[in-house]
Amino acid sequence: YIELGKRADFWIGYRNTIFYTLVGTLINITVTFPAAYAVSRREFMPRRVIMLMFVFTMFFSGGLIPIFLTVQELGLYNSFWVMVVPFSVSAYNVIVARTFFETSLPLDLWDAAQIDGCGNLRFFFTIALPLSKAVISVIALWTAVGQWNSYFNALIYIRDENLYPLALIMRNILVTQQIQSALGTGEAALIALRKANLMRYAMIIVATVPIMCVYPFVQKYFDQGVMIGAVKG
């Protein structure tokens, strides 16, 4: 832990990951639930076509090179926003949220709101969202954990080490230590290997503490939301 505390790059990555997780989760929630609500409305005619497009992206991708060129053309390459904007929508999360809106918000509730002069926008913000705390918490937790552990996007789209997330910093530290232990001989190699193992365990503990602290606050919602879409008796 002392050796880990001396590494400035580790704490820079820690700071970056916290920002990426907070901003990325907020953006994901902001774009996921309006989209899910829209495709859950029976009166919205193109909803089946739009859902088909969402599902299509779960099985087929444009490929790494086209995505890289798109990110570059948008001016997001090697920037903070490349970690939170291009991959902010998850088709799976949209499907889960849509299923919740379809199964947990009865049509009678919408009919009653309409009688009182409530439109779709007001219904979404004043009725649908307050009743969706469970699914919002679950999707927020999924998104936060995925963002916290993400390193591949940073490996491809970020070159500035000051923008590296924690997961990529940890990977680089482990790779460097493994190379050093492999190049050593005799007792020096054993010491380097032992130090690398201890560093690995320390990084795992330090990196998982924030997520472990957040989980108890959303656990009660997670127990409800994880069964969304299941058969109800």
Side-chain angles (χ1 to χ4, degrees):
Y1 288 104
I2 294 175
E3 291 293 328
L4 188 62
K6 295 178 181 178
R7 298 194 64 102
D9 56 346
F10 180 84
W11 298 109
I12 291 175
Y14 213 106
R15 177 202 64 191
N16 293 339
T17 295
I18 292 175
F19 288 148
Y20 292 147
T21 301
L22 292 177
V23 177
T25 302
L26 180 61
I27 292 177
N28 185 280
I29 294 299
T30 302
V31 298
T32 295
F33 281 89
Y37 176 77
V39 295
S40 70
R41 306 309 302 170
R42 299 179 186 274
E43 63 271 17
F44 184 52
M45 299 304 295
R47 69 192 188 103
R48 295 187 182 278
V49 176
I50 294 176
M51 277 309 304
L52 182 61
M53 293 179 181
F54 275 112
V55 173
F56 184 86
T57 63
M58 297 177 65
F59 298 97
F60 303 97
S61 172
L64 183 59
I65 295 176
I67 295 175
F68 179 88
L69 294 176
T70 301
V71 168
Q72 199 171 38
E73 288 297 322
L74 291 174
L76 298 175
Y77 181 75
N78 198 34
S79 69
F80 170 87
W81 298 106
V82 75
M83 292 293 293
V84 296
V85 173
F87 313 98
S88 59
V89 178
S90 168
Y92 179 79
N93 290 346
V94 173
I95 293 173
V96 171
R98 184 210 62 174
T99 303
F100 175 84
F101 287 134
E102 288 182 344
T103 59
S104 301
L105 297 180
L107 291 176
D108 295 341
L109 190 62
W110 166 242
D111 293 337
Q114 279 186 308
I115 293 174
D116 291 336
C118 184
N120 269 305
L121 192 63
R122 184 179 176 186
F123 181 81
F124 174 71
F125 283 106
T126 61
I127 298 177
L129 282 185
L131 295 176
S132 306
K133 292 180 180 179
V135 69
I136 291 175
S137 300
V138 171
I139 291 179
L141 182 62
W142 289 345
T143 304
V145 172
Q147 189 71 53
W148 188 270
N149 294 326
S150 175
Y151 78 93
F152 183 76
N153 291 337
L155 187 64
I156 301 298
Y157 304 112
I158 292 181
R159 288 293 172 265
D160 186 357
E161 294 185 357
N162 290 323
L163 295 175
Y164 280 178
L166 179 61
L168 185 56
I169 295 291
M170 293 171 60
R171 173 189 175 276
N172 293 342
I173 292 174
L174 293 177
V175 169
T176 302
Q177 290 182 340
Q178 288 176 355
I179 293 175
Q180 291 176 350
S181 61
L183 294 176
T185 58
E187 185 177 356
L190 294 176
I191 294 175
L193 181 61
R194 181 173 179 272
K195 181 180 178 181
N197 289 332
L198 291 175
M199 185 74 77
R200 180 185 299 115
Y201 303 143
M203 287 191 296
I204 290 173
I205 295 299
V206 175
T208 55
V209 165
I211 298 298
M212 293 174 63
C213 292
V214 169
Y215 181 77
F217 295 98
V218 298
Q219 183 178 5
K220 62 179 181 179
Y221 299 117
F222 187 82
D223 294 338
Q224 304 170 25
V226 77
M227 295 302 294
I228 291 171
V231 177
K232 297 177 175 61

